[in-house]
């Protein structure tokens, strides 16, 4: 890469003036790396975000029984309101932090957002009524929403192109590791013979904050995205970061092939991207990708948040499952959802993005409708119903993860984080916020017929997304990010 050398250690990185054209091979150097220990460490340190989100969502769902008792005494509507508060916070956090992520860098934001998360989730354990609980859930969601944008963009820009699909799906699917952890915590902390139920749910949120603090320390060694650095004029710093990554491989005795000279890029340095250019890129230049992204995100947000946030209510209302036992039913639910991306993720890089998106969304729609009718007919007990959902979410989890993959890789680097934020915000705002409120109301009626209507709405949205993704999706498998979507700064 053509650039000046970095200054002395400890000094601020050198930055060339806006408008300067840089000739760089940063992208080619990153994509030709083998998948190694460095990438595994990146996945662990950054992908833990989804584990935290899974922990949060599961705790909120599994602790419903405890929150409906004194002193909190939540109603079914309060439970839905609290779930929606978390999702509204996630929307606000995604948009605000997404804009900052593209402007001031990935690394700064994934520290800020995680710090907000750990403070807010710990504060949730100190809630004294529904309104304080909703406030702290809102702030926790804001931290998680910001994490999605900063982390998704960073991981996309550090992982080699040939394994980007599988890696992204597994990382997003790790949400369910957190869900499993949340299930175990709820089982342990809601046992009255082990701990006072009035304190069990509070301790569960304190544990989430403690985990966040540990992760904050793990992230100190993660570098800034070299792709972001070079676009914003930090050419020498980007070169230093990539050289350091390459050294990890050569120190292990791996001989790296030379980067593809044909993939050198000329980029015009910019300090930021005006919002008018963002709108032009999303709604004019890339309007097809925008349509696909919206369809995928809205449908999966409604599907997942509506069903999972309210499943504890279904178990208690229709199957008389005690609140302290809900975690046992959420555990297999989480297992099936993690295995889906893990097993099917490779196919997104081999069979291809479009056919796999169409298949996973389509089969999820069919299975959701079938299981919905089984529920309405009351053919299965709580164990059988949970097993059926485990099968549905095996495919649905891969579908949902592919939505994040799609919106992260089909927009230019300069607006990647904000694009992720926008789609997450719109998808969650329309599908994620309305879903729990709708299902909470339907479950509260005690009518299986009405709950089935909610399931069919979710199935219909997933079916529409399957068609849209199959016809208009982008065949991004194995391609560099710059080939999938040309940088706005290309000279």
């Amino acid at each position: 890469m053509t650039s000046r050398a970095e200054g002395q250690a400890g000094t601020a990185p050198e930055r060339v003036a806006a408008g300067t054209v840089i000739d760089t091979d940063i992208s080619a150097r990153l994509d030709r790396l083998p998948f190694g220990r460095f990438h595994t460490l990146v996945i662990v340190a950054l992908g833990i975000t989804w584990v935290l989100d899974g922990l949060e969502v599961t705790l909120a769902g599994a602790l419903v029984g405890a929150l409906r008792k004194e002193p909190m005494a939540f109603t079914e509507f309060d439970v839905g309101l609290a779930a929606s508060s978390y999702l509204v916070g996630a929307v606000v956090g995604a948009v605000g932090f997404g804009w900052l992520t593209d402007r001031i860098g990935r690394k700064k934001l994934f520290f800020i957002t995680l710090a907000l998360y750990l403070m807010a989730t710990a504060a949730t354990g100190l809630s004294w009524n529904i309104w304080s609980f909703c406030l702290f859930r809102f702030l926790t969601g804001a931290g998680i929403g910001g994490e999605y944008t900063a982390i998704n963009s960073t991981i996309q820009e550090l992982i080699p192109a040939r394994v980007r699909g599988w890696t992204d799906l597994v990382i997003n699917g790790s949400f369910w590791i957190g869900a499993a952890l949340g299930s175990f915590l709820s089982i342990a902390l809601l046992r009255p013979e082990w701990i006072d139920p009035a304190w069990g749910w509070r301790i569960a949120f304190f544990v989430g904050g403690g985990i966040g603090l540990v992760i904050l320390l793990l992230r100190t060694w993660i570098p800034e995205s070299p792709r972001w650095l070079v676009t914003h004029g930090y050419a020498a710093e980007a070169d230093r970061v990539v050289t350091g990554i390459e050294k990890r491989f050569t120190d292990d005795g791996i001989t790296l092939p030379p980067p593809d000279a044909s993939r050198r890029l000329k980029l015009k340095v910019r300090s930021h991207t005006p919002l008018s250019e963002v709108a032009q890129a999303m709604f004019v230049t890339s309007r097809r990708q925008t349509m696909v992204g919206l369809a995928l995100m809205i449908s999966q947000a409604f599907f997942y948040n509506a069903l999972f946030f309210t499943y504890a209510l279904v178990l208690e209302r229709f199957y008389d499952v005690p609140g302290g036992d809900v975690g046992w039913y959420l555990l297999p639910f989480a297992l099936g959802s993690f295995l889906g991306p893990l097993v099917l993720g490779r196919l997104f890089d081999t069979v291809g993005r479009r056919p796999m998106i169409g298949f996973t969304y389509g089969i999820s729609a069919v299975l959701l409708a079938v299981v919905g009718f089984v529920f309405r007919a009351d053919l299965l007990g709580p164990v059988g119903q949970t097993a059926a959902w485990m099968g549905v979410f095996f495919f649905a989890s891969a579908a949902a993860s592919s939505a994040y993959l799609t919106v992260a890789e089909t927009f230019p680097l300069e607006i990647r984080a904000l694009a992720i934020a926008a789609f997450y915000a719109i998808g969650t705002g329309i599908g994620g916020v309305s879903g729990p409120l709708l299902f909470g109301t339907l479950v509260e009626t005690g009518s299986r017929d009405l709950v089935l209507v909610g399931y069919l709405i979710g199935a219909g949205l997933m079916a529409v997304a399957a068609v849209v993704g199959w016809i208009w999706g982008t065949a991004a498998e194995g391609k560099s990010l710059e080939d999938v979507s040309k940088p706005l700064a290309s000279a």
Side-chain angles (χ1 to χ4, degrees), residues 21-145:
V21 175
I22 296 177
D23 184 9
T24 177
D25 61 357
I26 286 292
S27 299
R29 290 166 68 188
L30 288 170
D31 282 337
R32 84 14 167 132
L33 295 174
F35 189 91
R37 184 172 55 183
F38 167 76
H39 300 108
T40 302
L41 292 172
V42 168
I43 290 170
V44 171
L46 297 183
I48 200 74
T49 291
W50 285 264
V51 176
L52 290 176
D53 194 18
L55 175 67
E56 284 296 317
V57 171
T58 308
L59 283 178
L63 299 177
V64 164
L67 292 170
R68 291 172 64 185
K69 299 175 182 177
E70 294 294 339
M72 303 303 278
F74 285 3
T75 64
E76 279 90 347
F77 178 81
D78 290 338
V79 172
L81 180 63
S84 293
S85 296
Y86 175 83
L87 293 171
V88 170
V91 168
V92 174
V95 174
F97 290 126
W99 178 76
L100 285 174
T101 299
D102 281 331
R103 194 177 183 95
I104 68 175
R106 293 17 177 164
K107 184 168 184 173
K108 292 175 183 174
L109 265 296
F110 62 61
F111 276 108
I112 293 172
T113 53
L114 183 58
L116 174 60
Y117 159 81
L118 70 88
M119 289 187 292
T121 196
T124 304
L126 301 175
S127 303
W128 56 93
N129 58 22
I130 178 61
W131 302 112
S132 61
F133 189 87
C134 287
L135 172 62
F136 295 136
R137 294 301 290 164
F138 172 87
L139 294 175
T140 302
I144 288 293

Side-chain angles (χ1 to χ4, degrees), residues 309-474:
F309 265 125
T310 59
Y311 191 53
L313 291 177
V314 171
L315 289 170
E316 294 182 30
R317 170 71 70 167
F318 294 100
Y319 298 104
D320 297 320
V321 174
D325 291 338
V326 165
W328 291 115
Y329 296 90
L330 296 181
L331 199 55
F333 209 119
L335 177 62
S337 295
F338 177 65
L339 288 177
L342 184 66
V343 173
L344 301 176
R346 295 282 186 192
L347 300 178
F348 283 80
D349 286 320
T350 54
V351 175
R353 304 286 202 262
R354 288 169 54 196
M356 286 306 298
I357 288 173
F359 169 72
T360 54
Y361 271 83
I363 194 68
S364 297
V366 172
L367 292 177
L368 173 58
V370 170
V371 175
F373 279 107
V374 169
F375 168 80
R376 179 199 179 201
D378 196 13
L379 298 178
L380 298 173
V383 174
Q385 189 70 33
T386 299
W389 285 127
M390 184 178 176
V392 174
F393 277 73
F394 176 86
F395 296 101
S397 181
S401 297
S402 72
Y404 289 97
L405 169 66
T406 300
V407 300
E409 67 183 0
T410 54
F411 290 90
L413 178 145
E414 296 87 347
I415 65 170
R416 179 164 295 123
L418 188 55
I420 295 169
F423 287 107
Y424 177 80
I426 295 172
T428 303
I430 296 176
V433 173
S434 62
L437 285 175
L438 172 63
F439 267 74
T441 302
L442 295 178
V443 171
E444 194 169 5
T445 66
S447 169
R448 289 178 180 264
D449 288 333
L450 291 179
V451 174
L452 172 63
V453 171
Y455 290 152
L456 294 179
I457 292 173
L461 290 173
M462 294 293 280
V464 170
V467 174
V468 171
W470 172 267
I471 298 176
W472 292 290
T474 300

